[in-house]
Amino acid sequence: MEQNRFYITTPIYYVNDSPHIGHAYTSVACDVLARFMRLSGRKVKFLTGTDEHGQKVEKAAQGMGQAPKALVDEVSQRFRDMAALMGISHDDFIRTTEPRHVKGAQGLWRKMQENGHIYLGSYAGWYAVRDEAFYAESELVDGKAPTGAEVEWVEEPSYFFRLSAFGDKLLEFYEKNPDFILPKSRRNEVVSFVKGGLKDLSISRTTFSWGIPVPGDEKHIMYVWLDALANYLSALGYPDENAPDYKTFWPADIHMVGKDILRFHAVYWPAFLMAADLPCPRRVFAHGWWTIEGEKMSKSLGNVVAPRELVETYGLDQTRWFLLREVPFGNDGNFARDRMVAVINSELANTIGNLVQRTLSMVHKHCGGLVPDAHGVKRDELDLAFLAKAQLTDETTPKAVAERYYECRFNEILGDVLAIAGEANQYIDVKAPWKQKKEDPKLMEATLYHLLEGIRCIAIMLQPVMPGIASRMLTTLGVDEAEAKAGIPFSQLRPAFALKPGVALLPPEPLFPRIGDPKE
């Protein structure tokens, strides 16, 4: 991971439906990484967008009596709206129907073709329109794709990509880059698939027309996955390899994907790039799926969870916290409303919210609402241990934090922040500032100062995940509102940037209102 730039992408979302919790999950995870990297001083490019071509879109549009472009315009906007709703801070939103993308995808095709990796033949085999994927006879289960999608027999002229020539190169690449695919369990799946032998891949279609024309042979359109994967390049100005964004940001630092599309990103995509003499991305992270109240999410069950429902019911930052806190990123998770309520009430309201409320209330009551002065009071072991935990006093810690973000260990990171808040609440109970007020007011002021400093550090750490709440916390501590909204760099966790005595604090307001029983 280079220190001065960071390029992260969501998959481009397929425009066959409205956004659901799974789309929000991927986008929030990427947003947290992008925000952290910006706050760590890196120049960030964060890309999201929509995948708008293919037979499935054409069929859906025909079924609705619409032109494909009208349908994709409508659905793509829903994904833009979801990004705004979830507080996603993307730098670019690409659509595969844009001229810049068409130019980039066709440029990639030409380069692969010039290098001798594309040839014309004919395809006969099984194709699943729902998955936009080809399947071998051996992969079918009870006459269907392994995903359960219906398949149809397709025979047509087709251009092929010489995927079979890249098996050894891919295995060598995985060997030299052991963290290219995370989590590790997914890496094993991909290596096993490649070792099983790769067949040449059909990369064009002639039986429908909604797609990008093959350069030099417009009777064919490009296979939707070759088209879609090229977005990561076309958004940077490719095929112009001198484009400023391409020179700055390629190769991508991380492609975030659901586990169902890992093969396309970890096998086909690096092979396409190798064929075009382009560097491969540094990492592909395949996260798990969400079930809903213990059942697979599906429209037929009527249990699809829309992001808007979560935000309107529980709050934006609370939703972002829950999505990344509930399960180790990479594992499958289960969304249950009673569990979400329990997490919000226990971790956010009772632990973090309670800490801020208790501390600020005492400062307003006993210190006139100003940051107290701790100078002249010798810190005991408990003070030093608490501050060392909150402030990144160990010079190796910032690097370790960055690595954990890059490895997407979000629930661990949030667990550590929660632990600091928990220790702060214990610190209050042990120090008992209400008693110190009577026995030694200067000692009380020092205790409250240490607590405020702990809250400042917690607020900085919360910024990538809960930008709205973190900004409110920082503003309450006297940080300029515009500065708080722009974000406080993680480098300011250190003692040199600690709170200055005498700064006026805003009165405390509940950060996380407790939520009642979801059954009520």
Side-chain angles (χ1 to χ4, degrees), residues 144-205:
K144 293 185 177 181
T147 59
E150 298 289 338
V151 293
E152 59 185 47
W153 186 259
V154 173
E155 293 188 33
E156 59 183 315
S158 177
Y159 283 93
F160 284 81
F161 171 66
R162 296 186 194 279
L163 184 63
S164 59
F166 288 87
D168 289 342
K169 292 176 185 175
L170 287 168
L171 292 172
E172 182 184 357
F173 176 71
Y174 304 148
E175 185 71 27
K176 287 182 178 176
N177 300 275
D179 292 330
F180 171 64
I181 301 164
L182 288 180
K184 297 288 187 187
S185 58
R186 304 275 178 243
R187 180 181 184 277
N188 298 338
E189 293 170 18
V190 171
V191 170
S192 177
F193 174 76
V194 175
K195 282 183 175 177
L198 299 175
K199 295 181 179 177
D200 288 354
L201 182 67
S202 171
I203 55 167
S204 76
R205 303 292 304 277

Side-chain angles (χ1 to χ4, degrees), residues 6-9 33 252-256 283-285 406 408:
F6 191 78
Y7 181 29
I8 183 167
T9 69
L33 275 166
D253 288 275
I254 186 164
H255 293 318
M256 193 75 78
R283 178 164 297 170
V284 176
F285 197 106
Y406 191 39
C408 304

Side-chain angles (χ1 to χ4, degrees), residues 88-265:
I88 307 304
S89 63
H90 56 277
D91 302 293
D92 196 357
F93 188 105
I94 192 162
R95 300 179 57 185
T96 55
T97 48
E98 292 179 55
R100 62 170 172 160
H101 175 70
V102 173
K103 184 178 177 182
Q106 289 182 328
L108 180 63
W109 179 290
R110 287 191 185 96
K111 185 71 173 178
M112 292 160 60
Q113 194 169 40
E114 285 169 14
N115 289 346
H117 299 296
I118 293 177
Y119 64 92
L120 183 61
S122 60
Y123 178 78
W126 296 105
Y127 188 76
V129 174
R130 192 184 83 185
D131 300 343
E132 297 285 11
F134 302 99
Y135 292 103
E137 186 82 38
S138 59
E139 292 182 279
L140 301 186
V141 179
D142 298 327
K144 293 185 177 181
T147 59
E150 298 289 338
V151 293
E152 59 185 47
W153 186 259
V154 173
E155 293 188 33
E156 59 183 315
S158 177
Y159 283 93
F160 284 81
F161 171 66
R162 296 186 194 279
L163 184 63
S164 59
F166 288 87
D168 289 342
K169 292 176 185 175
L170 287 168
L171 292 172
E172 182 184 357
F173 176 71
Y174 304 148
E175 185 71 27
K176 287 182 178 176
N177 300 275
D179 292 330
F180 171 64
I181 301 164
L182 288 180
K184 297 288 187 187
S185 58
R186 304 275 178 243
R187 180 181 184 277
N188 298 338
E189 293 170 18
V190 171
V191 170
S192 177
F193 174 76
V194 175
K195 282 183 175 177
L198 299 175
K199 295 181 179 177
D200 288 354
L201 182 67
S202 171
I203 55 167
S204 76
R205 303 292 304 277
T206 58
T207 51
F208 63 98
S209 58
W210 182 241
I212 295 178
V214 166
D217 192 348
E218 298 202 352
K219 296 190 299 296
H220 291 253
I221 62 160
M222 291 170 58
Y223 173 41
V224 70
W225 267 106
L226 174 53
D227 163 356
L229 289 162
N231 92 90
Y232 304 129
L233 292 171
S234 60
L236 300 180
Y238 185 85
D240 179 4
E241 294 185 36
N242 289 313
D245 272 1
Y246 180 85
K247 289 177 73 173
T248 301
F249 291 110
W250 192 257
D253 288 275
I254 186 164
H255 293 318
M256 193 75 78
V257 301
K259 63 181 183 180
D260 54 322
I261 56 173
L262 177 59
R263 183 185 299 181
F264 300 100
H265 285 81

Side-chain angles (χ1 to χ4, degrees), residues 227-464:
D227 163 356
L229 289 162
N231 92 90
Y232 304 129
L233 292 171
S234 60
L236 300 180
Y238 185 85
D240 179 4
E241 294 185 36
N242 289 313
D245 272 1
Y246 180 85
K247 289 177 73 173
T248 301
F249 291 110
W250 192 257
D253 288 275
I254 186 164
H255 293 318
M256 193 75 78
V257 301
K259 63 181 183 180
D260 54 322
I261 56 173
L262 177 59
R263 183 185 299 181
F264 300 100
H265 285 81
V267 180
Y268 300 167
W269 182 225
F272 294 158
L273 292 167
M274 290 173 184
D277 299 324
L278 297 173
C280 293
R282 295 191 170 98
R283 178 164 297 170
V284 176
F285 197 106
H287 65 70
W289 290 340
W290 286 86
T291 53
I292 307 299
E293 307 288 353
E295 293 186 298
K296 186 177 178 181
M297 184 166 53
S298 75
K299 282 196 286 188
S300 60
L301 289 174
N303 66 348
V304 175
V305 175
R308 184 165 298 280
E309 176 199 342
L310 296 179
V311 171
E312 290 177 353
T313 305
Y314 306 106
L316 171 57
D317 284 344
Q318 291 90 329
T319 298
R320 288 169 61 105
W321 173 279
F322 178 79
L323 290 176
L324 296 187
R325 171 75 178 128
E326 180 64 356
V327 291
F329 198 74
N331 293 5
D332 291 337
N334 179 54
F335 173 79
R337 286 170 177 80
D338 57 355
R339 174 64 187 157
M340 186 163 181
V341 168
V343 166
I344 291 170
N345 287 342
S346 170
E347 298 184 348
L348 299 182
N350 293 356
T351 304
I352 297 174
N354 185 45
L355 166 66
V356 175
Q357 190 75 20
R358 292 170 82 186
T359 303
L360 285 167
S361 295
M362 285 188 281
V363 171
H364 276 273
K365 183 177 180 181
H366 302 305
C367 306
L370 304 177
V371 175
D373 191 346
H375 291 112
V377 179
K378 187 177 180 183
R379 290 170 176 167
D380 62 20
E381 286 185 16
L382 189 60
D383 299 330
L384 293 169
F386 172 63
L387 287 172
K389 199 88 159 182
Q391 299 167 332
L392 297 186
T393 50
D394 180 350
E395 286 303 314
T396 65
T397 306
K399 184 178 178 184
V401 171
E403 284 303 320
R404 287 210 297 173
Y405 268 99
Y406 191 39
E407 291 167 6
C408 304
R409 290 155 62 185
F410 303 119
N411 72 320
E412 288 181 27
I413 293 164
L414 298 186
D416 283 351
V417 177
L418 194 65
I420 294 169
E423 287 192 24
N425 281 313
Q426 290 176 356
Y427 178 81
I428 295 177
D429 295 338
V430 173
K431 287 286 184 174
W434 50 90
K435 288 184 182 177
Q436 291 175 330
K437 168 73 175 173
K438 299 173 185 174
E439 299 163 3
D440 187 342
K442 287 298 293 177
L443 208 54
M444 176 206 69
E445 288 185 14
T447 295
L448 292 177
Y449 178 85
H450 299 151
L451 286 165
L452 289 171
E453 178 58 15
I455 291 169
R456 182 188 76 90
C457 293
I458 288 168
I460 290 173
M461 293 179 202
L462 286 176
Q463 290 175 112

Side-chain angles (χ1 to χ4, degrees), residues 20-84:
H20 55 63
I21 187 174
H23 301 114
Y25 184 49
T26 315
S27 291
V28 167
C30 290
D31 183 62
V32 168
L33 275 166
R35 287 176 183 271
F36 171 77
M37 294 300 171
R38 291 188 195 109
L39 292 169
S40 299
R42 290 174 178 81
K43 185 176 183 180
V44 171
K45 175 85 170 178
F46 172 16
L47 177 68
T48 189
T50 44
D51 177 9
E52 303 180 15
H53 288 135
Q55 191 174 0
K56 185 161 46 174
V57 169
E58 187 175 85
K59 280 191 170 185
Q62 288 169 351
M64 296 177 187
Q66 280 185 290
K69 185 63 166 63
L71 174 62
V72 298
D73 285 349
E74 179 186 323
V75 183
S76 180
Q77 185 58 46
R78 294 177 201 163
F79 284 91
R80 283 187 186 273
D81 294 343
M82 179 204 73

